[in-house]
Amino acid sequence: MLVNYFKTAIRNLFRNKLNSIINITGLSVGMAVAVLTGLWIWDELTFNQYHTSYDRVARVMENRNRSGIIGTLSTTPPPTANELRNVYGDDLKHVVMSSLPQNDIISFGEKNLLRRGYFMEPGAADMLSLRMIKGTRAGLKDAGAMFISESLATALFGATDPTGKIIRIDNQFTAKVAGIYEDIPRNSDFSDMNFVGAWKLYESNNSWIRKDSWEQNGFQTYVQIADNADIQKVSEKIKTLRLRNVDAEQAKAQPENFLFPMNKWHLYGDFENGKSVGGNIRHVRLYGTIGFFVLLLACINFMNLATARAEKNAKEVGIRKTVGSLRSQLLSRFFVEAVLIALLSFLGSLIIISAILPFFNELTGKEMFIPWLHPFFWAAGIGFSIITGLISGSYPAWYLSSFQPVKVLKGTFKAGRLAAIPRKALVVLQFSVSIALIVGVMVVYLQVQTGRTRSSGYDRER
């Protein structure tokens, strides 16, 4: 039966070529927006998953109470890492002291390149699961070592193996290239890490660092929780980490440490009064909603076009009912046609996305791609197409299958005033959503333009 419905649907598509092209094109554009939005959302939701242990890695943070207002810091003093190892070592697999990300001039021969990177303790290579191309992760244990990314290695050394070569940092000190790691993708908080230098190299060349001072607060500490430990329980344990090591004056701020998991850094990184209040997750919800409404507009457009052709389909419905077709069978026939159009539209949307994805990546600063060979993508795409087909074909199917065969075959069929009410409601909804989206775009554009052109309050030239 389903095969017959598909054959009928295909014949109808070819018989009404112009209408089919309009339907498929309109639905393709809507699905392209939805799929593109879905790729962006997936990229956001999988942020930092490049790192194998992303769900067990955390940053040590601190809340401070100043006049009743709790502020949150992501920086820690130099002794933090050793204190964690000594007191909570059983709960932690790796403890890594790190500099803040910084731009340094990396030089070799006549080449001088400004690149962003970190200086970290040796456990960083395992904690961040660096994929080594040359050398091993253990290479960072050398006090004068440095790992460089594949792109930096190519820029500095071309096709030459740089392992063991000596490079200069800011023309102040040197480091030995102990390994090359694969570039970290953009959907990682460490995507800008072009080099990782040994922490001891950083300490030995920056005399201002006071290794035992709990007052100096310009570094970051990362930890990887032991396999048998719970991150929330460990976070509770380290609450008094800094409070136990400061004098009475600093203790007045009631410093309280906690662990902030890597899987929340990107989407839930905004803090107010000591609590995470969201972050980029707001953008995910916003763009997801916009993608849904754009797809809804395409579905409504499909419904209106399908019901506008009611009189052409009326005779088919009348004949089928006369020879014994049940309403459920007619519903199935129209749903099959809608799903077929949705599947063709999905393929059309992939063509559109393939054409615009490079520009979209440049606009958003991402590295998204269509996973052509991933079975989950096709399963999700087919499921998405079926759901879209069922939604867009729902009203036409119920509407067309309700025709009375006697009136249709006698030629006395009229849709009636009440039959037009749902279509009018759909048109009103379609225009309302369109206007809302247009107004939203205009408001955002004007806000951006205002931010760019308003007076900064000072003379930029001086």
Side-chain angles (χ1 to χ4, degrees):
M1 186 66 73
L2 285 176
V3 174
N4 180 55
Y5 292 157
F6 268 110
K7 288 181 179 179
T8 303
I10 292 171
R11 283 198 297 268
N12 282 339
L13 291 179
F14 281 103
R15 188 181 300 120
N16 305 286
K17 294 185 179 66
L18 179 60
N19 184 75
S20 299
I21 291 173
I22 293 173
N23 266 336
I24 293 173
T25 302
L27 205 53
S28 293
V29 173
M31 293 180 78
V33 174
V35 172
L36 199 59
T37 304
L39 289 174
W40 184 87
I41 291 174
W42 180 256
D43 188 84
E44 290 288 292
L45 295 178
T46 57
F47 220 84
N48 286 324
Q49 290 189 17
Y50 173 86
H51 310 287
T52 307
S53 302
Y54 76 98
D55 57 339
R56 303 195 67 78
V57 173
R59 179 188 290 127
V60 180
M61 299 184 69
E62 180 183 316
N63 284 330
R64 287 187 180 183
N65 192 323
R66 297 287 188 185
S67 302
I69 299 175
I70 299 176
T72 303
L73 304 175
S74 62
T75 52
T76 55
T80 303
N82 284 333
E83 184 76 6
L84 287 169
R85 290 190 195 97
N86 295 335
V87 182
Y88 309 101
D90 293 339
D91 294 316
L92 305 172
K93 189 172 184 178
H94 294 293
V95 180
V96 174
M97 202 69 191
S98 169
S99 67
L100 295 172
Q102 58 188 65
N103 295 318
D104 292 304
I105 299 174
I106 310 298
S107 307
F108 181 79
E110 298 300 316
K111 292 184 178 179
N112 301 285
L113 302 175
L114 184 65
R115 292 293 186 271
R116 194 170 181 81
Y118 297 73
F119 289 87
M120 293 178 155
E121 290 184 309
D126 285 320
M127 185 184 72
L128 299 179
S129 53
L130 297 183
R131 300 177 185 178
M132 303 304 296
I133 299 173
K134 296 284 186 180
T136 66
R137 293 177 182 174
L140 208 58
K141 293 180 180 178
D142 185 341
M146 178 176 281
F147 290 163
I148 59 176
S149 67
E150 185 179 10
S151 58
L152 178 55
T154 302
L156 276 177
F157 302 98
T160 306
D161 183 1
T163 308
K165 300 288 178 62
I166 304 299
I167 57 178
R168 301 188 308 278
I169 296 95
D170 291 333
N171 287 318
Q172 294 179 359
F173 56 96
T174 60
K176 181 178 72 174
V177 178
I180 303 172
Y181 58 89
E182 179 185 280
D183 283 14
I184 298 174
R186 288 187 182 181
N187 65 336
S188 165
D189 280 290
F190 294 95
S191 61
D192 60 353
M193 191 171 73
N194 288 283
F195 65 85
V196 188
W199 174 253
K200 290 183 178 179
L201 178 68
Y202 186 69
E203 276 188 326
S204 61
N205 287 279
N206 289 281
S207 56
W208 52 269
I209 298 176
R210 294 176 287 167
K211 300 179 183 179
D212 300 321
S213 172
W214 284 93
E215 298 177 7
Q216 200 173 34
N217 213 62
F219 311 96
Q220 290 183 320
T221 307
Y222 302 98
V223 300
Q224 181 176 336
I225 305 301
D227 296 337
N228 60 345
D230 180 85
I231 194 166
Q232 293 302 325
K233 291 181 180 179
V234 177
S235 184
E236 286 292 322
K237 286 183 180 181
I238 70 165
K239 272 188 176 182
T240 59
L241 174 69
R242 187 167 188 175
L243 183 62
R244 298 193 311 268
N245 292 281
V246 296
D247 57 29
E249 183 62 29
Q250 292 188 46
K252 291 179 180 178
Q254 302 172 15
E256 186 177 283
N257 293 100
F258 65 96
L259 298 180
F260 189 47
M262 178 185 273
N263 55 17
K264 292 186 177 180
W265 292 356
H266 183 68
L267 296 178
Y268 301 92
D270 292 347
F271 283 81
E272 287 183 11
N273 207 30
K275 301 291 183 181
S276 174
V277 292
N280 287 332
I281 190 65
R282 291 190 289 267
H283 298 152
V284 171
R285 292 167 181 158
L286 173 63
Y287 296 138
T289 303
I290 292 173
F292 169 77
F293 277 110
V294 171
L295 181 61
L296 180 63
L297 290 178
C299 290
I300 292 174
N301 192 60
F302 177 91
M303 293 178 188
N304 288 333
L305 289 173
T307 52
R309 295 176 61 250
E311 291 186 9
K312 290 187 177 181
N313 289 303
K315 289 183 179 180
E316 178 191 345
V317 173
I319 293 172
R320 283 180 177 273
K321 281 192 173 183
T322 302
V323 298
S325 289
L326 301 175
R327 188 175 186 184
S328 59
Q329 293 174 317
L330 290 171
L331 286 172
S332 299
R333 175 255 180 275
F334 289 119
F335 275 127
V336 166
E337 182 173 339
V339 169
L340 177 62
I341 291 175
L343 288 169
L344 294 174
S345 300
F346 176 65
L347 296 177
S349 72
L350 294 181
I351 296 173
I352 296 173
I353 292 170
S354 299
I356 66 175
L357 193 55
F359 305 100
F360 188 73
N361 279 335
E362 185 176 350
L363 177 68
T364 59
K366 290 187 176 293
E367 295 176 336
M368 296 184 299
F369 60 92
I370 300 175
W372 298 105
L373 302 178
H374 203 298
F376 175 77
F377 170 75
W378 290 108
I382 293 172
F384 168 64
S385 301
I386 292 173
I387 293 172
T388 302
L390 293 176
I391 293 173
S392 58
S394 57
Y395 174 59
W398 286 100
Y399 177 65
L400 296 173
S401 65
S402 68
F403 294 163
Q404 296 180 13
V406 175
K407 291 184 177 180
V408 169
L409 296 179
K410 280 186 176 181
T412 59
F413 163 75
K414 289 185 179 180
R417 291 182 300 170
L418 296 179
I421 292 177
R423 281 184 56 202
K424 290 179 179 179
L426 289 174
V427 171
V428 171
L429 176 61
Q430 189 177 27
F431 276 93
S432 298
V433 173
S434 299
I435 292 170
L437 290 175
I438 292 170
V439 171
V441 169
M442 291 176 63
V443 169
V444 172
Y445 173 77
L446 292 174
Q447 286 179 332
V448 172
Q449 290 300 109
T450 300
R452 292 178 59 186
T453 58
R454 70 180 180 183
S455 174
S456 61
Y458 64 93
D459 185 357
R460 293 178 185 273
E461 299 300 321
R462 295 180 182 273

